[in-house]
Each structure stands twice: as structure tokens, then as C-alpha cells.
Amino acid sequence: MAALAEHGASDPAAAAELVQAVVYASSRMIENGTPEAAVLALTRELLGPYLRQQG
């Protein structure tokens, strides 16, 4: 959570829960047969705009 706070998260604990949800959903997709590369691409598509905003 410290890293989230350092990057300006207004509620680091809640942001950490959201990160965990993405990790969980991604791992579930892989376990259910979605190729790892496809899950990685979807995750980057989802989070990329937010990461670019931070610089």
C-alpha cells in the first residue's frame, strides 16, 4: 500500500483491493484456459491508460 500512497492514491487500501481483484481475475482466466499472453494483453489494455497518466 505504501507504493500506492506514494503514487497519489486517495485511498491506498481500497486501491490495493482493486489491484488484488485484477490479479485474481487474471489468474482465474489463465486457469480456465485463456492463454497467458491474451490475459497480459487485456490487463495492459485495462491498466495502460492509468499507468501512462502517472508518467
Side-chain angles (χ1 to χ4, degrees):
M1 283 190 287
L4 293 167
E6 288 175 18
H7 282 91
S10 61
D11 186 345
E17 286 186 45
L18 289 172
V19 169
Q20 181 58 36
V22 171
V23 170
Y24 176 76
S26 297
S27 64
R28 192 177 68 227
M29 291 173 71
I30 292 168
E31 288 174 356
N32 289 331
T34 304
E36 185 177 341
V39 174
L40 181 58
L42 286 169
T43 303
R44 285 182 173 156
E45 182 179 327
L46 173 67
L47 299 177
Y50 301 100
L51 297 174
R52 282 191 288 278
Q53 285 180 354
Q54 291 295 321

